[in-house]
Amino acid sequence: MGRVWALARKDLLTEGRSKETLNGLLFFAALVLLIFGFALGPDPERLTQAAAGVLWVGFILTGLLGLTRAFQVEQENESLEGLLLYPGDRGAIYLGKLVGSVVFMLAVEVTVFPCFAFFYNVPLWRALPGLLLTAALGTVGFAAVGTLFAAMTMHLRAREVMFPLLLLPFVVPVLLAAVKGTEAFLRGAGRAEAFPWLTLLGLFDLIFVTLSLFAFEWVVEE
Amino acid sequence: MGQDGGRAAPRQGGIALQGIGKAYGAAWAVRGVDLTLGPGESLALFGPNGAGKTTLLKILATLITPTRGDGRVAGFDLRKEQEGIRESLALLAHGTHLYEDLTVRENVEFAAAMRRRAGPLEALLERVGLAEAAGERVRALSSGTKRRLTLAKVMLAEPTILLLDEPFTNLDQAAVALLQGFVAEVLARGGSVIMATHDLMRGYAACRRAAVLVNGRLIHEAPARPGGLEALRAAYVAATGTQGG
């Protein structure tokens, strides 16, 4: 696990230094929420109905950009080659990149929540624990597949197009479960209604992380 | 400096390749390379651009799986025991493998963590002349200084198999001397070194054997001995039509 944490720490430190991605993503997420909020109008019921979907559109778009950036760092100076030369199981590289991406995406999401509450008039405090749990489970599932596909497409010339094209169909089940879980907590329906969706998310996370872990070595081989 | 966990690195040099080939589609980058290098031996690998030198080094470094052939590196099977090979090996490649937004020290600390090396890193930074620049971000360094830092990461690996791909690029005389000293150290402790380069003079002087790779084939291999450079140069010119460095 030492290598996993070392890699995740390195990614977060690198991102913390440059801040270019973090600032860009926060601005982008806030813009998505504002534009959708503006388009949906002032009707509170309409806003509440659309809120969960809009929130996850924001998370997914910022997540796509964040995951692309996570592997761009490894392209500079052929650093991925350097990572592959280190001893030990290459699964540690996948897990390190995954942990770094999840922490980074969660940091963006936590910062976006107050903005979301403001634009969509959502009683955030009551729903916050459930929302955070759903966001964490959804983010792990999304980043699990995203990290694998980001590694797979990093050398492609058209990676900006290919990455979302390949990734999004795979993560549809995660997104649907995440939106339904978020919706249940926003409506105040309670844990009973959200539980099946959270269980589904947990299951997807387990499957996606396991499969991606095994596929990673094959994906990064030249 | 030593390992603080994980699999113990075998202290054994030696490379043995039989019929190693690598194809990309219909094009063969490396064809039927047989090569034996014992502990304490070094080989200078010459060849023009596109000859397959880098591909061969990457096969040895487990970055590329060969299409054909078998081999053992540091006593480990090239196909089945790649983790063992990576424990024993360091590659000084074209890319610096550095993170530009991290400092010199952070880059070395990261490499140490990934290699599970414990112990203070000051002596290593001092040795490569980067102790005073330890807190500087890599982005602010000159290309020569970055190359020194890459060399420090290679030294950190304490390899028994050292692969050098155009190692003299961007190195000043002091850094070249440092590299040569390190190569001598690896050989003295029974390691094996392969140096791929265009620079016939330096490569020949630095290694005990020399070989020429052209179109993926090893066409000439001989011990490096005084006066032997001309024979190697003749073989190189005959095969490539160019003079070499």
Side-chain angles (χ1 to χ4, degrees):
Chain A
M1 287 307 279
R3 287 174 178 141
V4 174
W5 295 124
L7 189 53
R9 183 181 174 275
K10 183 271 295 175
D11 275 1
L12 293 169
L13 201 58
T14 306
E15 193 45 54
R17 288 277 161 74
S18 66
K19 289 194 184 70
E20 50 193 50
T21 312
L22 186 65
N23 291 339
L25 292 189
L26 286 175
F27 179 74
F28 183 70
L31 199 64
V32 167
L33 294 179
L34 178 68
I35 288 170
F36 273 97
F38 190 72
L40 289 166
D43 180 4
E45 200 177 325
R46 206 170 165 198
L47 278 176
T48 309
Q49 279 173 351
V54 173
L55 184 67
W56 276 96
V57 166
F59 287 173
I60 293 312
L61 291 177
T62 53
L64 284 172
L65 296 174
L67 285 167
T68 307
R69 170 70 187 162
F71 276 89
Q72 270 174 357
V73 171
E74 304 301 345
Q75 269 191 309
E76 202 173 16
N77 299 327
E78 299 176 28
S79 296
L80 182 63
E81 183 181 272
L83 287 183
L84 297 176
L85 281 168
Y86 287 122
D89 192 326
R90 284 174 175 165
I93 300 173
Y94 168 77
L95 289 175
K97 298 302 282 185
L98 174 63
V99 170
S101 294
V102 167
V103 171
F104 179 70
M105 286 170 68
L106 284 175
V108 173
E109 289 167 11
V110 166
T111 317
V112 161
F113 272 129
C115 190
F116 169 69
F118 176 74
F119 287 138
Y120 291 79
N121 197 24
V122 172
L124 192 62
W125 287 114
R126 185 169 44 86
L128 195 59
L131 288 179
L132 287 176
L133 180 63
T134 314
L137 289 172
T139 301
V140 169
F142 178 73
V145 190
T147 302
L148 182 73
F149 282 107
M152 194 190 284
T153 55
M154 68 178 284
H155 293 299
L156 297 181
R157 216 176 297 168
R159 65 171 175 272
E160 287 83 2
V161 178
M162 291 305 293
F163 176 52
L165 266 181
L166 286 169
L167 172 63
L168 291 175
F170 275 89
V171 293
V172 163
V174 171
L175 298 184
L176 291 180
V179 168
K180 295 304 282 182
T182 304
E183 196 182 65
F185 284 115
L186 285 177
R187 276 194 287 108
R191 273 177 287 180
E193 197 176 314
F195 185 74
W197 298 111
L198 296 183
T199 309
L200 204 58
L201 275 177
L203 207 63
F204 282 135
D205 290 356
L206 195 68
I207 293 168
F208 283 163
V209 171
T210 308
L211 290 180
S212 302
L213 190 59
F214 284 114
F216 186 74
E217 173 133 19
W218 175 76
V219 160
V220 292
E221 193 170 291
E222 198 168 313
Chain B
M1 192 92 35
Q3 288 208 324
D4 67 349
R7 178 203 282 245
R11 298 285 106 188
Q12 179 186 8
I15 293 169
L17 302 180
Q18 297 95 35
I20 286 291
K22 177 65 187 177
Y24 293 99
W28 286 84
V30 173
R31 313 162 195 234
V33 169
D34 296 317
L35 180 69
T36 307
L37 200 64
E41 284 194 317
S42 56
L43 174 81
L45 189 62
F46 302 108
N49 289 335
K53 302 187 297 293
T54 299
T55 305
L56 186 58
L57 292 189
K58 285 187 175 182
I59 288 172
L60 290 167
T62 74
L63 290 170
I64 296 177
T65 303
T67 311
R68 280 189 194 155
D70 288 302
R72 294 190 82 78
V73 178
F76 294 105
D77 189 286
L78 191 54
R79 290 181 185 275
K80 296 175 192 154
E81 297 171 305
Q82 298 195 336
E83 285 183 36
I85 293 174
R86 289 197 291 271
E87 290 274 6
S88 323
L89 176 143
L91 167 68
L92 186 64
H94 286 290
T96 59
H97 303 163
L98 298 174
Y99 295 99
E100 300 273 339
D101 286 314
L102 299 187
T103 65
V104 167
R105 183 189 303 280
E106 285 163 349
N107 267 281
V108 178
E109 281 173 351
F110 174 65
M114 294 301 280
R115 286 201 172 271
R116 295 188 193 145
R117 292 286 193 269
L121 301 169
E122 277 68 23
L124 178 66
L125 291 175
E126 192 78 49
R127 185 176 175 191
V128 296
L130 291 176
E132 285 182 16
E136 284 185 37
R137 286 199 199 177
V138 169
R139 198 172 290 286
L141 303 177
S142 69
S143 55
T145 312
K146 286 179 187 176
R147 199 72 177 156
R148 273 173 183 264
L149 179 54
T150 309
L151 187 54
K153 287 173 64 182
V154 167
M155 288 174 165
L156 179 81
E158 298 175 351
T160 48
I161 302 291
L162 178 60
L163 306 176
L164 307 166
D165 197 357
E166 293 297 348
F168 303 116
T169 309
N170 280 333
L171 288 185
D172 59 20
Q173 286 306 310
V176 167
L178 192 67
L179 175 63
Q180 287 168 338
F182 181 62
V183 167
E185 257 176 49
V186 172
L187 294 174
R189 61 168 182 256
S192 304
V193 177
I194 296 185
M195 179 187 291
T197 178
H198 289 106
D199 193 332
L200 291 184
M201 296 274 281
R202 269 180 170 160
Y204 201 80
C207 296
R208 294 172 199 178
R209 285 165 59 193
V212 178
L213 193 72
V214 178
N215 291 330
R217 285 186 211 282
L218 217 50
I219 57 145
H220 175 94
E221 202 204 332
R225 54 172 77 96
L229 180 60
E230 285 316 307
L232 180 93
R233 196 187 294 277
Y236 189 94
V237 171
T240 66
T242 60
Q243 284 294 319

